Amino acid sequence: MRALALATASVLTLGLAACGDGAGKEGGAASVAEAAGSTATQEKFNHYVEGFNKLIDDNWGVSKNFHSYQQLDIPNKSASDSIYFPENITTLEGAIEALKEGRALNGGNQANAADAAVDKLLPRLEALLTQWRTLDPYYESRRYREDGLAQGKAADADLKSAYEAALAGIEEFDTALTQYLRARDEAQLAAYRAAGHGELASLMDAMQKADHFSDSVIEGNKAEADRQLPALEAAVAEVRKAEATLAADDGNKTEFNLIADYLESMIGNYRDYKQSDSDSDREDVVDSYNRAVGQMGDVEHPA
């Protein structure tokens, strides 16, 4: 899955202020305010995105651990095998905590879909966490050598079901988060354009196009990705142009360069994927996009 950009309240506040500075800009500011919601809404989504990104972490996320667990093939293992149970209790606990903190905040109408998804997801994550807490000491202490792996084999089907339920809930949560963030970012993009922040508008435009492009790649929809590719490449070229206009001592110059690098790598990875049809190359597309998302957190916005 794609990582999601943090719905940073300070970014949105600055964007609103910049858009409202000039005459005739109030309509743009209202659009951003309507999409982003109140400070509490923005803070809620900060927590939600933090939790989501923990859940999909490349190394410690739910999907990664499920893949590792499936490779163990517990039904065909024996007590004489060395079994290393994959889990990251700390990361999952942190994700659950972030989601609960977000759920406790009043997010208004903008948060209805995300709140409903969290209400379904939390019990599934807690069920998975309970399984991990039970099975991790069982495998870590090698207790399976004493019971002939009986407990592990008995728990296998339920653990897989818990993983599948959690992953389905994460996907639904992703949909709700993406809906909010895309509406917010489209309004922010319009506000930056109206306020004359052309370089930031170019960057946000490229990231939005990369967001939709990565979705098509994840879905394996090469025809749609091909359709989007020319506009994405043009948008990345605009980021390069914007970077060239920035002064050498502008803190954003390095960030623009790195983000453009990541997006160009994403495009290259996609062309590799088209040729190979390899899951590994498709994952590289998403990894490059996620690196660009992470770098966006270091971009400075107007005061």
Side-chain angles (χ1 to χ4, degrees):
M1 292 183 179
R2 300 164 298 107
L4 294 173
L6 283 172
T8 311
S10 60
V11 171
L12 294 164
T13 301
L14 292 172
L16 283 166
C19 189
D21 282 344
K25 304 287 179 64
E26 291 81 359
S31 176
V32 178
E34 183 179 0
S38 66
T39 300
T41 301
Q42 296 169 41
E43 183 62 24
K44 171 189 277 284
F45 278 95
N46 284 344
H47 290 302
Y48 278 178
V49 172
E50 176 189 353
F52 177 83
N53 284 342
K54 288 180 184 295
L55 291 173
I56 66 161
D57 184 86
D58 284 344
N59 297 311
W60 306 116
V62 174
S63 180
K64 176 67 173 180
N65 279 293
F66 187 29
H67 178 70
S68 298
Y69 178 74
Q70 288 174 306
Q71 288 185 315
L72 289 180
D73 191 19
I74 292 297
N76 293 310
K77 278 285 192 294
S78 69
S80 62
D81 292 322
S82 295
I83 302 173
Y84 299 95
F85 182 69
E87 54 75 32
N88 193 293
I89 289 172
T90 302
T91 298
L92 185 53
E93 286 176 334
I96 291 170
E97 180 181 0
L99 296 183
K100 287 182 175 179
E101 288 175 351
R103 187 64 182 90
L105 296 172
N106 183 0
N109 292 333
Q110 292 95 334
N112 286 343
D115 284 346
V118 167
D119 288 343
K120 292 170 67 173
L121 176 59
L122 277 172
R124 300 180 186 188
L125 296 178
E126 289 173 334
L128 178 61
L129 181 60
T130 297
Q131 295 260 28
W132 282 5
R133 285 174 172 160
T134 300
L135 291 168
D136 184 51
Y138 169 76
Y139 284 107
E140 187 68 22
S141 68
R142 313 294 192 271
R143 199 160 65 243
Y144 62 86
R145 298 198 188 282
E146 296 183 355
D147 73 350
L149 195 53
Q151 181 180 345
K153 291 189 176 186
D156 180 70
D158 285 345
L159 178 56
K160 288 175 179 173
S161 294
Y163 267 118
E164 289 165 355
L167 288 171
I170 291 168
E171 185 172 352
E172 185 175 340
F173 184 43
D174 179 17
T175 299
L177 286 177
T178 299
Q179 180 183 13
Y180 168 81
L181 290 173
R182 284 179 175 170
R184 179 209 70 176
D185 288 349
E186 286 170 7
Q188 185 68 73
L189 172 58
Y192 278 150
R193 282 175 172 157
H197 298 300
E199 73 288 348
L200 286 168
S202 295
L203 185 65
M204 290 195 69
D205 181 52
M207 288 301 296
Q208 287 181 30
K209 286 179 168 61
D211 173 19
H212 290 282
F213 180 80
S214 66
D215 259 3
S216 298
V217 175
I218 289 170
E219 294 165 2
N221 190 342
K222 294 178 184 177
E224 177 59 19
D226 284 344
R227 187 191 69 79
Q228 295 176 13
L229 184 57
L232 173 60
E233 289 193 294
V236 175
E238 290 300 315
V239 175
R240 289 296 190 195
K241 291 179 184 177
E243 175 198 344
T245 68
L246 297 175
D249 61 351
D250 190 310
N252 276 343
K253 196 172 185 70
T254 297
E255 308 310 327
F256 274 51
N257 177 59
L258 289 171
I259 291 167
D261 282 348
Y262 291 140
L263 295 181
E264 288 166 351
S265 292
M266 180 180 73
I267 292 168
N269 296 144
Y270 171 66
R271 290 191 167 117
D272 289 341
Y273 166 58
K274 277 190 67 178
Q275 179 173 298
S276 68
D277 203 31
S278 160
D279 285 343
S280 175
D281 285 333
R282 180 167 59 173
E283 289 166 7
D284 286 343
V285 174
V286 180
D287 288 345
S288 292
Y289 171 74
N290 286 347
R291 292 187 184 98
V293 169
Q295 203 66 45
M296 283 290 289
D298 293 332
V299 174
E300 297 176 2
H301 293 261

